[in-house]
Amino acid sequence: MDGNGRWAESRGKARSEGHLAGTEAVIRTVENAFRAGIQCVTLYAFSSENWNRPAEEIQALMGLMLRFLAEQKNLFIKNKIRLRTIGDLSPFPEAIREAVEAVKAETSAFSEHTVAVALNYGARDEVLRAAQLYATDVRSGKLSGDTAPAWEQFSKYLWTDGMPDPDLIVRTSGEIRLSNFLLLQAAYAELYFTDVLWPDFDKAELDKALAFYASRERRFGKTSAQIQKDEH
Ligand code: FPP
């Protein structure tokens, strides 16, 4: 969800105003995505590197997060949307952790729609933590450790355990990189980059991203001829 800062600055506004407009784009995009039949939306809201931002911007983002959780909680419950998070929540203020855990607990039984918010998330942190947890299970004898794990087995140690791999990753604002986002899970994801700034991302823009996705042939290592044969 890139470009909030530039959106605000180009209007002579504070960067926090961009994040506020970005929150509105979050709400409409989640609604539009679910209406389009998508089951799981993951939002990169705060990376493990975002702590390096100015303190006042971090504070504004925390405030927005709290507001989002308070204002959207009923929407999650009414629409049976499960809230998940990926990332290490421990450095966040207690108020945020409690608000997140409360909504997660109240929505944990829902299975049709999931919104996963990446908070203090970094793919490298994720894999290091997974390796450590895996090693602990080897040491305790829960796993043998004699052979390399199958991906299905190792991926249970990732924060995304139980979530599908992303089919489509959208990055706004013209930046063409993944910035430590779901690096392993993105192995076969289709990548869509648009110059549109995140606060301007609306239904028409989501439709463009989905049209791009629909135009892709997903081969997962096979040949095009094999895929076409499988489809018939
Ligand atoms: C990147 O744009 C955006 C962020 C670091 C924050 C994203 C947060 C939100 C959209 C709001 C809160 C989220 C939720 C889920 C309620 P940038 O600031 O790097 O923009 P720039 O590159 O133009 O400076």
Side-chain angles (χ1 to χ4, degrees):
M1 300 186 287
D2 208 356
N4 295 348
R6 276 164 284 168
W7 183 92
E9 281 157 11
S10 70
R11 287 165 174 75
K13 294 180 173 183
R15 292 177 58 85
S16 57
E17 293 281 328
H19 295 313
L20 177 62
T23 308
E24 285 156 20
V26 164
I27 297 163
R28 72 172 169 260
T29 301
V30 165
E31 285 176 350
N32 289 331
F34 289 154
R35 262 187 224 127
I38 291 164
Q39 290 176 322
C40 182
V41 177
T42 304
L43 304 159
Y44 203 4
F46 197 88
S47 77
S48 44
E49 286 73 36
N50 284 151
W51 296 108
N52 296 321
R53 294 202 169 200
E56 62 176 36
E57 185 169 341
I58 295 178
Q59 214 165 0
L61 279 167
M62 300 287 155
L64 278 175
M65 227 79 85
L66 266 181
R67 213 171 116 181
F68 172 79
L69 289 162
E71 289 178 0
Q72 304 305 322
K73 183 177 165 178
N74 289 336
L75 194 94
F76 272 80
I77 294 169
K78 193 174 129 228
N79 294 321
K80 296 192 169 20
I81 300 168
R82 178 175 177 188
L83 176 73
R84 290 188 56 152
T85 55
I86 56 172
D88 174 12
L89 292 186
S90 63
F92 283 99
E94 203 180 332
I96 298 229
R97 278 186 283 127
E98 282 178 0
V100 167
E101 294 305 341
V103 182
K104 274 161 80 170
E106 283 200 58
T107 61
S108 64
F110 302 145
S111 54
E112 210 171 311
H113 296 304
T114 300
V115 169
V117 186
L119 291 171
N120 189 27
Y121 175 86
R124 289 182 174 176
D125 284 350
E126 178 179 41
V127 76
L128 293 174
R129 172 185 172 272
Q132 190 179 34
L133 294 173
Y134 184 85
T136 303
D137 280 353
V138 170
R139 269 199 304 273
S140 72
K142 206 171 143 190
L143 295 171
S144 89
D146 289 343
T147 51
W151 175 248
E152 290 67 29
Q153 188 182 22
F154 184 76
S155 62
K156 289 190 196 318
Y157 294 85
L158 299 174
W159 277 308
T160 49
D161 177 33
M163 284 164 54
D165 282 345
D167 290 310
L168 172 68
I169 294 184
V170 174
R171 183 171 186 154
T172 53
S173 91
E175 309 296 352
I176 304 189
R177 54 177 176 261
L178 287 176
S179 300
N180 210 10
F181 183 61
L182 298 180
L183 296 184
L184 294 171
Q185 298 87 337
Y188 289 99
E190 301 298 329
L191 307 179
Y192 179 79
F193 299 97
T194 170
D195 287 340
V196 168
L197 303 177
W198 176 249
D200 292 327
F201 196 84
D202 58 10
K203 181 168 184 304
E205 296 302 331
L206 177 66
D207 288 345
K208 281 187 211 166
L210 295 180
F212 160 82
Y213 175 77
S215 75
R216 306 297 305 157
E217 180 184 62
R218 307 194 74 203
R219 292 199 289 273
F220 299 97
K222 293 185 181 176
T223 66
S224 188
Q226 283 176 303
I227 298 295
Q228 278 161 28
K229 193 162 164 256
D230 289 352
E231 279 172 3
H232 293 114

